[in-house]
Amino acid sequence: MSRIVTLDEFILHNENLQTSSTGKLTKVLRDIGVAAKIVNREVNKAGLVNILGIEGSSNSSGDMVQKLDIFSNEKMIACLSNSGEVAAIVSEENEELIHLPKVKTIKPTYLVAMDPLDGSSNIDVNVSVGTIFGIYQITDPEADITDKSFLQKGCEVIAGGYVLYGTSTMLVYTTGNGVNGFTLDPSIGEFCLSHPNIKIPSRGNYYSVNQGYYLKFDVEMRRYIDYCNDLNLRLRYIGSMVSDVHRMLFQGGIFLYPNTRKYPHGKLRLLYECIPMSMVVEQAGGKAINCQLERILDISPINIHQRATIVIGSPDMVDEMENFVKRYSLSEIT
Ligand code: AHM
Ligand code: MG
């Protein structure tokens, strides 16, 4: 029987491999692991205890219920406050950045951008949702932490990952040295290394896009989707980015969220959706660009809740989409 490696053991082992390691990132990753277990517990029992509803509504016993995405936000913030290593959080659930209280005399090193429960439209129907996180370094330790502190390119991010609350719960993350996946074993309450050194297939049989918006996409995007159909690629769209990208990571394929009339700059958020997912996919050998064909990790953010278009997945398929759009744009001009 192969030996079980828990998330904590894995993080510590990797820390020991790096001579320059301070152990600070280890603490933050472990706190995210703890938060993920708490959120997982609530996601799993949500149907039973009636916390699926709208925040402020009351449950069968007349108690006020809390919406699951608000619950996840609070638990993530609480867990990330433990170590003292995180100075502030940007969350999809909060318009303003959240400053965390100091812990003893610890001088924080990191900032965290997160979507505590992505795919929230799926919560009420028992379909997979996820948590996405990106860990940023504080670049100027003497300066006050403001929105500007978070406006770093994705290629400068220290770690990124996600938790998928699906048929199994998985935590997948990278610190820029490959991607590893851990599955929660409910019997021992631990994330165990189940998918070491994940590599995305160079292409796959799936494409993932909200095809209901077809007529709202730019013409080159429509033509590319027609091309996917011509290739007989199979369409899979859960409407939960974590789940849809997770499928591409393991089975190969391409996920797209282009601009529409409603979302002229794309719907997904750059700091806490596109950048961490792109970091994971690139570290697994994949690619991620926006519809202007810029690498997601090279975009300079201009505000903390900025949206971006995204095309992410198997490297050959993202290249093909890029070439397709370039060729199509050229033929439009001539
Ligand atoms: P959310 O953070 O409000 O849940 O929105 C993000 C989600 C993504 O998980 C998913 O890819 C997308 O929204 C689905 O949007 P749409 O319903 O427009 O296809
Ligand atoms: Mg989201």
PDB file of all heavy atoms in Angstrom, residues 92 115 117-120 132 268-269 272-273, ligand 2:
ATOM      1  N   GLU A  92     -14.316  38.570  -3.549  1.00  0.00           N
ATOM      2  CA  GLU A  92     -15.433  38.895  -4.437  1.00  0.00           C
ATOM      3  C   GLU A  92     -16.647  39.384  -3.650  1.00  0.00           C
ATOM      4  O   GLU A  92     -17.459  40.145  -4.153  1.00  0.00           O
ATOM      5  CB  GLU A  92     -15.817  37.677  -5.290  1.00  0.00           C
ATOM      6  CG  GLU A  92     -16.952  38.020  -6.243  1.00  0.00           C
ATOM      7  CD  GLU A  92     -17.182  37.025  -7.354  1.00  0.00           C
ATOM      8  OE1 GLU A  92     -16.563  35.955  -7.357  1.00  0.00           O
ATOM      9  OE2 GLU A  92     -18.000  37.338  -8.228  1.00  0.00           O
ATOM     10  N   ASP A 115     -11.999  34.276  -4.365  1.00  0.00           N
ATOM     11  CA  ASP A 115     -13.443  34.135  -4.567  1.00  0.00           C
ATOM     12  C   ASP A 115     -13.844  32.992  -3.643  1.00  0.00           C
ATOM     13  O   ASP A 115     -13.549  31.824  -3.915  1.00  0.00           O
ATOM     14  CB  ASP A 115     -13.756  33.798  -6.035  1.00  0.00           C
ATOM     15  CG  ASP A 115     -15.258  33.728  -6.271  1.00  0.00           C
ATOM     16  OD1 ASP A 115     -16.012  33.798  -5.279  1.00  0.00           O
ATOM     17  OD2 ASP A 115     -15.667  33.597  -7.437  1.00  0.00           O
ATOM     18  N   LEU A 117     -16.603  31.477  -2.792  1.00  0.00           N
ATOM     19  CA  LEU A 117     -17.471  30.413  -3.312  1.00  0.00           C
ATOM     20  C   LEU A 117     -17.875  30.756  -4.745  1.00  0.00           C
ATOM     21  O   LEU A 117     -18.862  31.462  -4.977  1.00  0.00           O
ATOM     22  CB  LEU A 117     -18.699  30.208  -2.422  1.00  0.00           C
ATOM     23  CG  LEU A 117     -19.219  28.771  -2.468  1.00  0.00           C
ATOM     24  CD1 LEU A 117     -18.229  27.783  -1.872  1.00  0.00           C
ATOM     25  CD2 LEU A 117     -20.532  28.653  -1.725  1.00  0.00           C
ATOM     26  N   ASP A 118     -17.060  30.267  -5.659  1.00  0.00           N
ATOM     27  CA  ASP A 118     -17.301  30.571  -7.065  1.00  0.00           C
ATOM     28  C   ASP A 118     -18.367  29.641  -7.632  1.00  0.00           C
ATOM     29  O   ASP A 118     -18.455  28.476  -7.240  1.00  0.00           O
ATOM     30  CB  ASP A 118     -15.993  30.400  -7.848  1.00  0.00           C
ATOM     31  CG  ASP A 118     -16.178  30.748  -9.293  1.00  0.00           C
ATOM     32  OD1 ASP A 118     -16.562  31.891  -9.579  1.00  0.00           O
ATOM     33  OD2 ASP A 118     -15.962  29.873 -10.150  1.00  0.00           O
ATOM     34  N   GLY A 119     -19.139  30.189  -8.563  1.00  0.00           N
ATOM     35  CA  GLY A 119     -20.207  29.384  -9.182  1.00  0.00           C
ATOM     36  C   GLY A 119     -21.446  29.403  -8.324  1.00  0.00           C
ATOM     37  O   GLY A 119     -22.193  28.425  -8.263  1.00  0.00           O
ATOM     38  N   SER A 120     -21.672  30.542  -7.656  1.00  0.00           N
ATOM     39  CA  SER A 120     -22.737  30.579  -6.644  1.00  0.00           C
ATOM     40  C   SER A 120     -24.129  30.309  -7.226  1.00  0.00           C
ATOM     41  O   SER A 120     -25.024  29.893  -6.491  1.00  0.00           O
ATOM     42  CB  SER A 120     -22.715  31.892  -5.861  1.00  0.00           C
ATOM     43  OG  SER A 120     -22.412  32.956  -6.702  1.00  0.00           O
ATOM     44  N   ILE A 132     -11.516  29.948  -5.009  1.00  0.00           N
ATOM     45  CA  ILE A 132     -10.299  30.258  -5.778  1.00  0.00           C
ATOM     46  C   ILE A 132      -9.455  31.230  -4.947  1.00  0.00           C
ATOM     47  O   ILE A 132      -9.998  32.164  -4.343  1.00  0.00           O
ATOM     48  CB  ILE A 132     -10.640  30.905  -7.145  1.00  0.00           C
ATOM     49  CG1 ILE A 132     -11.704  30.085  -7.896  1.00  0.00           C
ATOM     50  CG2 ILE A 132      -9.383  31.062  -8.000  1.00  0.00           C
ATOM     51  CD1 ILE A 132     -12.162  30.727  -9.205  1.00  0.00           C
ATOM     52  N   LEU A 268     -15.528  37.332 -15.752  1.00  0.00           N
ATOM     53  CA  LEU A 268     -14.729  36.777 -14.655  1.00  0.00           C
ATOM     54  C   LEU A 268     -13.723  37.814 -14.146  1.00  0.00           C
ATOM     55  O   LEU A 268     -13.287  38.696 -14.889  1.00  0.00           O
ATOM     56  CB  LEU A 268     -14.044  35.493 -15.122  1.00  0.00           C
ATOM     57  CG  LEU A 268     -15.047  34.420 -15.569  1.00  0.00           C
ATOM     58  CD1 LEU A 268     -14.348  33.211 -16.160  1.00  0.00           C
ATOM     59  CD2 LEU A 268     -15.951  34.010 -14.409  1.00  0.00           C
ATOM     60  N   ARG A 269     -13.374  37.675 -12.883  1.00  0.00           N
ATOM     61  CA  ARG A 269     -12.529  38.688 -12.228  1.00  0.00           C
ATOM     62  C   ARG A 269     -11.060  38.318 -12.403  1.00  0.00           C
ATOM     63  O   ARG A 269     -10.673  37.161 -12.212  1.00  0.00           O
ATOM     64  CB  ARG A 269     -12.860  38.778 -10.743  1.00  0.00           C
ATOM     65  CG  ARG A 269     -14.326  38.925 -10.428  1.00  0.00           C
ATOM     66  CD  ARG A 269     -14.945  40.152 -11.025  1.00  0.00           C
ATOM     67  NE  ARG A 269     -16.330  40.247 -10.642  1.00  0.00           N
ATOM     68  CZ  ARG A 269     -16.902  41.364 -10.158  1.00  0.00           C
ATOM     69  NH1 ARG A 269     -16.201  42.474 -10.061  1.00  0.00           N
ATOM     70  NH2 ARG A 269     -18.166  41.348  -9.810  1.00  0.00           N
ATOM     71  N   TYR A 272      -8.857  37.371  -8.734  1.00  0.00           N
ATOM     72  CA  TYR A 272      -9.145  36.187  -7.913  1.00  0.00           C
ATOM     73  C   TYR A 272      -9.876  35.083  -8.675  1.00  0.00           C
ATOM     74  O   TYR A 272     -10.334  34.129  -8.060  1.00  0.00           O
ATOM     75  CB  TYR A 272      -9.891  36.578  -6.625  1.00  0.00           C
ATOM     76  CG  TYR A 272     -10.986  37.594  -6.811  1.00  0.00           C
ATOM     77  CD1 TYR A 272     -12.225  37.217  -7.259  1.00  0.00           C
ATOM     78  CD2 TYR A 272     -10.762  38.946  -6.546  1.00  0.00           C
ATOM     79  CE1 TYR A 272     -13.242  38.143  -7.436  1.00  0.00           C
ATOM     80  CE2 TYR A 272     -11.763  39.889  -6.722  1.00  0.00           C
ATOM     81  CZ  TYR A 272     -12.999  39.475  -7.171  1.00  0.00           C
ATOM     82  OH  TYR A 272     -14.003  40.402  -7.352  1.00  0.00           O
ATOM     83  N   GLU A 273     -10.025  35.215  -9.967  1.00  0.00           N
ATOM     84  CA  GLU A 273     -10.564  34.100 -10.756  1.00  0.00           C
ATOM     85  C   GLU A 273      -9.562  33.766 -11.876  1.00  0.00           C
ATOM     86  O   GLU A 273      -9.018  32.664 -11.928  1.00  0.00           O
ATOM     87  CB  GLU A 273     -11.955  34.438 -11.318  1.00  0.00           C
ATOM     88  CG  GLU A 273     -12.983  34.537 -10.201  1.00  0.00           C
ATOM     89  CD  GLU A 273     -14.395  34.879 -10.648  1.00  0.00           C
ATOM     90  OE1 GLU A 273     -14.571  35.667 -11.616  1.00  0.00           O
ATOM     91  OE2 GLU A 273     -15.336  34.399 -10.014  1.00  0.00           O
TER      92      GLU A 273
HETATM   93 MG    MG B   2     -16.727  33.934  -8.908  1.00  0.00          MG
END
